[in-house]
Amino acid sequence: MAGIRNLVIVLGDQLDRDLSALDGYDTEQDIVWMAENQTEATHVWCHKQRLVLFFAAMRHHRDDLRRRGYRLWYHALEADARRDSGPDFSAILTAAVNNLAPKRLVMTECGDCRVQQMLVECANAHDLALQVRPDRHFYCGREAFNEWAAGRDSLVLEHFYRWMRRAEDVLMDGDHPEGGRWNFDKQNRESFGRAGPGNLPHVRRFRPDRITRDVIDMVASRFGGHPGHIDGFDLPVTHDEARTALRDFIDHRLALFGDYQDALWTNMQFAYHSRLSAALNLHLLDPRACVDAAVAAYEAGKAPLNSVEGYIRQVLGWREFVRGVYWREMPGYARRNALRARLPVPRAYWDGETDMACVADAMRNVLHNGYAHHIQRLMVLGLFALVAGVHPYRFHEWHVAMYLDAVDWASLPNALGMSQFGDGGLLGTKPYCASGNYINKMSNYCKNCRFDPGQATGDDACPITTLYWDFLDRNLERFRHNRRMVFQVKNLERKRADEPLMEAIRRRARALRQHLADGERI
């Protein structure tokens, strides 16, 4: 392997077959470098299935590249850590550079600012040029997003989303939105009612092959103390499997996705959601394929506009928006903590042990599947952490650890910003806070819970309800002039007029927060 021109870096969330780093690849002069490593598996306490997903998908992609004629330098983890070439990207890349003596390193834009900086420093240490190419996986490049954002007083998703719809000519009728409306969000908030969801469609599952089974065995042996269950891993780990999963969603769940995308129900794993975010964020699936398939379903009369628009808003709108915000605001964004929250992540977020029915159910899904849909993330697990006062970056680290689809560019704005209001309103103009009554309205959780969502004081009071009023009380001066919180502030002021009641809420909230600080179960 002497005389290497380019050492082409391919990371675990860059599994595109058309990756820009591979442009101009010469079989005689270039070699692809991929590396599983200990640091990326442990810099947060990763869910075992998250490790299986990344390593299995990487090994399948490695073999696909080899079949297509690429030469590879691949570092695989084994059960015995002593066989590693190094603990992290920098050490393993250094070993490859010392062996291959490439003239240049080439990569596609990273999905994690920390990893990007690590690779830049490694290249500098070896006095090697590092060419970083744009990531074509996304509709909106980083420069294009910055041009859109320049000069704006605030970054509003709805404005960006409409700009993207026009730019990509998606669900457009000339210069007007299909159906006369840009957004069907108000239509997409149905609950299942007292009868429940009934028979939900099955989600396509994928049986692990030999490569994936080898990874499962390695993870079980080497990372057996990590959280989550490893049995039952069934996610797509190849491009073909990801496309099959997309067809399954379009054919069997998209039609009712819109109506019930916010609905919650005990023991409901996926409902009508796509379960495609992990494949998308590893780049096993192209977002254009998702958008095009959803539009085709609408045009064929197989899915209504509210469902198709709701799904496209997540892929073409929100997903592109948070990536743009991430790279525009990093690295400083990670240090933001507008509400000065300090608590650790609740113990139940690692082991699922709690008397709170809503948190227990959401955590069952997280522990068994590394998954929770967006309302479980935002308005159950995120809500409880927010009103309790969990440190926003600690919450982000937990989010990266436990969700299989979490990559830093996607997790940090969603977790620290959208969910925990750590950015002070850059991503969302108000905090997503509510009492337990919201959860009672959208689910059957409270029916089977020992806590009462309508009570804020006493032993049977819902912790979310108690902490909600305390959250507003603690942060009143910040929220008082927020136009979107007028109703909540007025309700708090009515509560404050009853000083004995408000003091009882504060007392119970202090006790709950102390339990969380001490790592105790609630």
Side-chain angles (χ1 to χ4, degrees):
M1 291 188 179
I4 297 299
R5 179 185 64 167
N6 293 329
L7 188 59
V8 181
I9 298 168
V10 176
L11 301 174
D13 61 339
Q14 297 181 335
L15 306 184
D16 302 78
R17 301 190 89 206
D18 187 37
L19 189 70
S20 62
L22 297 173
D23 291 352
Y25 178 89
D26 187 315
T27 304
E28 300 299 322
Q29 302 184 77
D30 302 331
I31 188 167
V32 174
W33 178 89
M34 298 177 71
E36 304 167 18
N37 69 82
Q38 175 77 13
T39 296
E40 295 309 303
T42 59
H43 79 284
V44 293
W45 198 29
C46 281
H47 195 301
K48 288 192 283 287
Q49 286 198 40
R50 186 170 187 268
L51 299 178
V52 172
L53 171 67
F54 271 79
F55 297 154
M58 288 173 68
R59 293 183 187 189
H60 282 90
H61 190 64
R62 169 200 65 192
D63 292 353
D64 179 64
L65 287 170
R66 283 175 174 159
R67 284 192 294 270
R68 293 163 58 203
Y70 292 89
R71 296 190 297 169
L72 270 91
W73 180 286
Y74 190 95
H75 182 269
L77 293 182
E78 300 180 32
D80 186 353
R82 292 173 298 180
R83 298 177 66 86
D84 294 355
S85 295
D88 56 24
F89 280 126
S90 183
I92 300 168
L93 183 57
T94 291
V97 167
N98 289 339
N99 274 275
L100 301 173
K103 296 181 177 64
R104 182 175 68 167
L105 304 178
V106 176
M107 68 177 296
T108 294
E109 293 168 333
C110 193
D112 187 321
C113 187
R114 172 187 58 85
V115 174
Q116 184 75 66
Q117 186 59 33
M118 188 187 306
L119 294 172
V120 168
E121 291 173 0
C122 184
N124 290 340
H126 293 281
D127 198 25
L128 275 173
L130 172 63
Q131 184 182 80
V132 181
R133 298 174 179 175
D135 192 344
R136 291 191 295 256
H137 171 86
F138 296 94
Y139 281 94
C140 184
R142 286 159 58 174
E143 290 185 6
F145 183 87
N146 289 338
E147 289 174 5
W148 172 83
R152 294 177 183 267
D153 294 332
S154 60
L155 304 180
V156 179
L157 167 66
E158 188 66 25
H159 299 163
F160 174 78
Y161 173 54
R162 295 182 185 189
W163 179 69
M164 289 295 292
R165 287 264 299 271
R166 286 191 172 104
E168 299 297 330
D169 194 25
V170 172
L171 289 182
M172 296 298 298
D173 182 6
D175 195 45
H176 301 283
E178 181 74 20
R181 291 164 55 189
W182 289 102
N183 189 315
F184 290 81
D185 196 39
K186 291 182 179 179
Q187 191 174 328
N188 292 350
R189 296 174 182 168
E190 295 292 327
S191 70
F192 290 124
R194 292 183 179 180
N199 293 323
L200 292 168
H202 294 290
V203 174
R204 179 72 160 81
R205 300 174 185 272
F206 299 89
R207 181 178 299 174
D209 63 5
R210 179 188 55 78
I211 294 173
T212 302
R213 290 195 303 271
D214 286 346
V215 172
I216 290 171
D217 290 343
M218 183 274 290
V219 169
S221 174
R222 182 163 175 169
F223 303 103
H226 280 228
H229 300 284
I230 201 168
D231 296 333
F233 178 84
D234 59 4
L235 279 170
V237 293
T238 69
H239 300 92
D240 288 345
E241 288 179 346
R243 286 190 291 268
T244 298
L246 171 61
R247 288 193 297 271
D248 179 66
F249 167 62
I250 297 295
D251 292 344
H252 302 297
R253 300 189 300 286
L254 175 61
L256 289 175
F257 165 76
D259 289 354
Y260 298 113
Q261 63 175 300
D262 288 3
L264 302 164
W265 202 261
T266 302
N267 294 325
M268 183 184 75
Q269 293 183 324
F270 310 115
Y272 297 98
H273 290 265
S274 72
R275 206 194 180 196
L276 296 173
S277 53
L280 272 167
N281 289 353
L282 267 64
H283 297 191
L284 292 174
L285 194 58
D286 192 306
R288 295 160 191 80
C290 299
V291 168
D292 291 348
V295 171
Y298 167 67
E299 292 176 344
K302 295 179 179 179
L305 184 56
N306 71 300
S307 288
V308 172
E309 186 279 320
Y311 179 65
I312 286 174
R313 182 158 20 100
Q314 291 186 354
V315 178
L316 180 64
W318 186 249
R319 186 171 183 266
E320 300 284 331
F321 183 69
V322 298
R323 178 179 183 261
V325 169
Y326 176 86
W327 283 111
R328 187 171 187 265
E329 299 297 326
M330 284 297 280
Y333 191 81
R335 296 189 291 272
R336 295 193 182 188
N337 186 0
L339 302 182
R340 299 181 181 178
R342 292 289 181 265
L343 285 182
V345 171
R347 192 185 83 176
Y349 284 28
W350 299 107
D351 61 20
E353 295 181 6
T354 175
D355 289 339
M356 299 172 65
C358 57
V359 172
D361 187 71
M363 282 307 306
R364 269 193 297 274
N365 210 4
V366 173
L367 291 168
H368 283 277
N369 299 301
Y371 174 87
H373 74 64
H374 66 278
I375 294 299
Q376 288 175 311
R377 298 192 197 202
L378 182 66
M379 297 306 296
V380 177
L381 300 174
L383 170 61
F384 182 53
L386 171 68
V387 296
V390 171
H391 191 289
Y393 194 78
R394 301 287 87 80
F395 182 80
H396 156 67
E397 289 181 315
W398 168 82
H399 191 273
V400 169
M402 296 299 282
Y403 289 111
L404 274 58
D405 58 8
V407 179
D408 206 62
W409 68 262
S411 175
L412 189 64
N414 273 297
L416 181 147
M418 180 77 164
S419 175
Q420 301 302 294
F421 204 67
D423 63 10
L426 176 66
L427 211 63
T429 53
K430 65 180 287 292
Y432 279 81
C433 58
S435 73
N437 288 322
Y438 169 82
I439 294 173
N440 190 32
K441 174 186 173 184
M442 295 303 296
S443 74
N444 70 331
Y445 291 150
C446 302
K447 178 182 177 182
N448 303 306
C449 186
R450 66 164 290 251
F451 297 114
D452 184 345
Q455 297 297 317
T457 62
D459 291 342
D460 294 331
C462 172
I464 290 177
T465 299
T466 302
L467 290 166
Y468 165 72
W469 291 114
D470 184 65
F471 171 77
L472 293 178
D473 186 53
R474 297 193 313 267
N475 297 286
L476 178 60
E477 292 311 309
R478 169 175 282 277
F479 299 150
R480 188 185 294 279
H481 303 295
N482 187 318
R483 290 179 296 174
R484 294 192 64 200
M485 296 198 70
V486 170
F487 179 73
Q488 289 167 302
V489 167
K490 284 183 177 179
N491 282 342
L492 174 66
E493 288 174 341
R494 280 194 284 270
K495 278 273 193 298
R496 279 185 157 193
D498 186 341
E499 184 55 34
L501 172 62
M502 199 65 222
E503 187 52 40
I505 291 173
R506 291 175 185 136
R507 246 189 340 266
R508 175 163 167 76
R510 283 194 297 270
L512 288 168
R513 286 160 54 81
Q514 189 61 54
H515 286 317
L516 294 172
D518 294 341
E520 297 175 1
R521 189 177 104 169
I522 292 178

